């Protein structure tokens, strides 16, 4: 039951916003009493924390599945972006923006958790791209990881509209890739951009 509550709450939080969804809404959607929810979660903040943790796990499982498919480094980034777009397109307001505004402490925990995971993903992708001669060999990998992380999270936490954030993320991905790409990488980037615009 606890997992079902977390799962339903996550859907509602992403769809309608962390602030606007009440415990009553969740109980109503699940056809259970509010008392049942309070049996597992003594307050909404704890439910939000557990929900963000579940979303985090799901996101990183999907990223690992994409990485395991052995795309080239540039295509891999576009596939990951596509997954994010599909997962969060139901939201009107960017989930990270909402967390930062209404639940800053939970937001900080989410950011700290994401920092390590994202940096590792970005680093592996850049190293893979260098091996595949899609990215330049002379890159300072750690610096480019920081650049990209700062760019993406700045968009996520400062853009209210999820649709606008998705558009800006594509621009950031193109910007990031062009900054690192070899001629071979630019060709692959153009191919991915054409596919994305279709």
């Amino acid at each position: 039951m606890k997992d079902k509550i977390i799962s339903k709450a996550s859907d509602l939080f992403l769809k309608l916003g962390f602030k606007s969804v009440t415990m009553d809404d969740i109980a109503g959607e699940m056809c259970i009493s509010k008392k049942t929810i309070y049996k597992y979660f003594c307050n909404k903040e704890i439910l939000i924390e557990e929900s963000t943790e579940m979303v985090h796990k799901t996101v990183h499982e999907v990223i690992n599945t994409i990485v395991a498919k052995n795309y080239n480094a540039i295509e891999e980034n576009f596939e990951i972006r596509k997954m994010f777009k599909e997962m969060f397109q139901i939201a009107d307001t960017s989930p990270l923006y909402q967390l930062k505004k209404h639940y800053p402490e939970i937001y900080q925990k989410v950011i700290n958790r994401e920092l390590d995971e994202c940096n590792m993903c970005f680093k592996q992708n850049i190293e893979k791209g260098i091996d595949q001669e899609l990215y330049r060999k002379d890159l300072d990998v750690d610096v480019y990881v920081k650049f990209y992380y700062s760019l993406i999270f700045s968009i996520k936490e400062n853009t209210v509209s999820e649709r606008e954030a998705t558009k800006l993320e594509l621009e950031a991905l193109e910007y990031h890739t062009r900054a690192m790409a070899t001629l071979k990488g630019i060709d692959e980037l153009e191919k991915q951009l054409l596919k994305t615009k279709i």
Side-chain angles (χ1 to χ4, degrees), residues 18-32:
F18 291 101
K19 185 79 175 151
S20 53
V21 174
T22 65
M23 295 298 230
D24 282 320
D25 295 332
I26 298 162
E29 279 283 321
M30 294 185 72
C31 300
I32 59 173

Side-chain angles (χ1 to χ4, degrees), residues 20-60:
S20 53
V21 174
T22 65
M23 295 298 230
D24 282 320
D25 295 332
I26 298 162
E29 279 283 321
M30 294 185 72
C31 300
I32 59 173
S33 72
K34 202 159 68 165
K35 202 171 152 191
T36 306
I37 296 176
Y38 281 113
K39 199 168 103 181
Y40 298 98
F41 308 96
C42 60
N43 60 41
K44 186 177 162 185
E45 282 74 15
I46 288 171
L47 182 52
I48 290 174
E49 269 189 60
E50 297 222 15
S51 296
T52 56
E53 208 164 296
M54 192 194 93
V55 170
H56 164 86
K57 276 190 189 130
T58 307
V59 163
H60 287 283

